Amino acid sequence: MNIPSAYIHIPFCQQICHYCDFTKFFYNERLADEYLEALEKEIHTYIPDEKARVRTIFVGGGTPTAVNHQQLEKLLRMIDDHFDIASCEEYTFEANPGDLDMEKVWLLRDFGVDRISLGVQVFDDEMLEKIGRVHKVKDVYTNIDRLLQAGLSNISIDLMYALPGQTVEDFEKTIDEAMQFGLPHYSSYSLQIEPKTVFYQRYMKGKLTKAKEDDEAEMYELLQRKLTAAGAVQYEISNFAKPGFESKHNLTYWNNEHYYGIGAGAHGYLPGKRTINIRPLPAYVKKAEEDGKPLLHEEPIGIKEEMEEEMFLGLRKTQGVSTERFYQKYGKTLVDVFGNRLTQLKERSLIDEEAGHIRLTSKGRILGNEVFQEFLLDD
């Protein structure tokens, strides 16, 4: 089975952020040891013999670097044992500023990790505290310096906007400070208030107010304008990169390609099905220890769903959906499948076509969810 990418989830955090709805648990050394044992059993189920050749590996969380040095080395060695790192084009670890001492940085580099995604969010200590982050702005500088010392220069940082109490001017300062590093990749997301988060509880009690839509739109436009002026190319709705430094792993998702989803709560996409793993940590560990298959649910994916998702995901890219690639994958043209819908969306100036690609217009990006719904096919 030729699967181009692998996502591996490490659910531990030193602190739970107020906005986060990913599978996460407070770090506990014993639980982390048990989890890594279970994780290896799951990986072995997918890859029992020869090392798997994958194009990308992404280790996310939680915070993968929240584990101790011995556990981090065990995790890295486990991945090295099951995947052909030498043939991997991009090997990413997520990290929080403040987690990376030099010993961890050298471990990552020595085991072949070549890309780091830092969860910075804002360059404002007061705001960081308000959203439940434990790092300080100075930690960002320290960790980036350590990474560069070790030759790990392919660094991406995540930024957030439309946070409670955040002004357009506040976000502009964050963008300006982030740009001073001259990094090859930046991601930025507006706050989404998700169930089962601290912010959701506060919002439901009337103790938290969402940002105004006009302010959120202004922050997004500011982000686009400043990063583009600095030479970064917006290749996806929320992602900007210097040419050649686009996230190859995330492009796996947006190109609707297959990937392993490994770890508690992880989602995978394998030929003909999507997989969702058990989320609660004790239940995940128990099931993985039993048979190496800690699945909660498998959803069959037929040609109809594949074509729908090709549009939902592909339209997130600035380049859009390739008409030629669509035909090669499905044996049908976009017009065959979505003819009238394409015409109507073009008439409303929500999509256009250029160089063999269907893509969102500026107006279409603002109304993205409305556009995506138009590509839901009748049974």
Side-chain angles (χ1 to χ4, degrees):
M1 187 164 57
N2 182 26
I3 306 299
S5 294
Y7 173 78
I8 300 171
H9 191 77
I10 307 300
F12 299 105
C13 294
Q14 297 290 348
Q15 169 73 20
I16 305 299
C17 302
H18 297 343
Y19 53 83
C20 180
D21 73 331
F22 294 124
T23 303
K24 73 280 183 188
F25 303 92
F26 282 110
Y27 172 72
N28 172 287
E29 187 174 317
R30 178 184 59 80
L31 285 177
D33 281 335
E34 292 176 0
Y35 181 78
L36 291 176
E37 292 291 334
L39 188 73
E40 184 154 29
K41 285 185 168 58
E42 185 187 3
I43 295 176
H44 185 73
T45 299
Y46 284 116
I47 306 159
D49 301 312
E50 293 182 8
K51 291 186 177 186
R53 292 176 66 90
V54 291
R55 189 171 67 244
T56 71
I57 299 170
F58 193 104
V59 185
T63 312
T65 53
V67 298
N68 65 33
H69 297 91
Q70 292 76 20
Q71 290 165 339
L72 180 60
E73 182 172 359
K74 180 174 181 175
L75 171 62
L76 288 160
R77 197 173 298 283
M78 177 195 312
I79 295 169
D80 186 70
D81 286 344
H82 289 88
F83 294 94
D84 184 356
I85 303 302
S87 69
C88 185
E89 295 176 19
E90 181 187 272
Y91 184 3
T92 303
F93 251 72
E94 283 187 336
N96 277 345
D99 282 349
L100 293 173
D101 58 27
M102 280 309 301
E103 185 177 346
K104 287 185 177 179
V105 170
W106 287 116
L107 269 175
L108 293 169
R109 197 207 68 168
D110 290 348
F111 275 92
V113 174
D114 58 12
R115 185 173 182 272
I116 301 295
S117 178
L118 280 179
V120 173
Q121 316 314 355
V122 291
F123 284 89
D124 180 328
D125 284 344
E126 186 177 343
M127 181 63 73
L128 286 168
E129 186 175 350
K130 284 181 180 177
I131 64 176
R133 305 290 288 179
V134 293
H135 77 266
K136 303 292 185 185
V137 171
K138 63 180 177 61
D139 296 322
V140 180
Y141 286 83
T142 300
N143 276 192
I144 289 179
D145 183 58
R146 287 172 179 163
L147 291 167
L148 294 176
Q149 283 183 50
L152 286 168
S153 59
N154 191 358
I155 302 168
S156 173
I157 62 175
D158 287 350
L159 305 175
M160 291 187 72
Y161 60 96
L163 294 168
Q166 185 185 40
T167 66
V168 175
E169 292 74 22
D170 291 336
F171 186 55
E172 183 170 17
K173 290 177 183 176
T174 277
I175 298 171
D176 289 343
E177 192 158 355
M179 286 168 52
Q180 289 179 12
F181 292 101
L183 298 176
H185 193 282
Y186 294 89
S187 299
S188 190
Y189 306 93
S190 65
L191 172 67
Q192 303 298 311
I193 298 177
E194 303 286 359
K196 301 180 181 178
T197 64
V198 172
F199 274 174
Y200 181 79
Q201 294 168 5
R202 291 180 184 174
Y203 179 69
M204 295 303 290
K205 292 176 182 177
K207 295 181 178 180
L208 182 144
T209 305
K210 289 183 178 180
K212 294 178 182 177
E213 286 187 10
D214 288 349
D215 286 348
E216 182 175 341
E218 190 174 346
M219 290 181 195
Y220 182 59
E221 290 167 3
L222 189 68
L223 175 79
Q224 291 177 301
R225 189 166 65 250
K226 282 184 169 281
L227 284 174
T228 301
V233 176
Q234 183 177 14
Y235 68 100
E236 190 269 345
I237 288 175
S238 302
N239 286 269
F240 302 77
K242 293 179 180 178
F245 287 91
E246 299 83 359
S247 169
K248 294 178 181 177
H249 184 84
N250 285 343
L251 282 167
T252 298
Y253 302 147
W254 302 321
N255 288 331
N256 201 25
E257 297 174 335
H258 297 124
Y259 55 92
Y260 297 108
I262 299 166
H267 291 227
Y269 180 31
L270 303 176
K273 62 184 177 182
R274 288 197 180 274
T275 62
I276 304 174
N277 273 355
I278 294 168
R279 189 165 175 149
L281 196 57
Y284 169 86
V285 169
K286 181 180 179 183
K287 190 69 169 68
E289 291 285 354
E290 284 175 1
D291 62 8
K293 299 177 181 178
L295 285 170
L296 174 67
H297 179 64
E298 281 190 355
E299 178 187 356
I301 299 292
I303 188 76
K304 168 183 170 290
E305 289 82 10
E306 285 189 34
M307 291 189 295
E308 290 172 343
E309 292 178 7
E310 191 81 15
M311 302 307 293
F312 303 158
L313 297 166
L315 284 171
R316 291 188 61 89
K317 298 180 295 179
T318 304
Q319 188 182 43
V321 177
S322 165
T323 54
E324 181 181 349
R325 187 170 183 271
F326 188 93
Y327 181 75
Q328 289 173 347
K329 287 182 76 171
Y330 305 111
K332 297 181 180 181
T333 68
L334 277 166
V335 174
D336 290 337
V337 182
F338 300 110
N340 290 336
R341 302 162 197 250
L342 294 173
T343 301
Q344 291 167 7
L345 290 168
K346 286 178 183 176
E347 289 174 350
R348 296 170 61 194
S349 299
L350 296 175
I351 63 170
D352 61 20
E353 185 170 359
E354 184 176 325
H357 288 77
I358 300 291
R359 61 184 190 179
L360 294 176
T361 62
S362 297
K363 180 181 177 184
R365 285 186 185 180
I366 296 170
L367 301 173
N369 288 335
E370 186 177 328
V371 177
F372 299 154
Q373 286 179 354
E374 292 298 316
F375 292 102
L376 286 170
L377 295 167
D378 298 329
D379 290 334

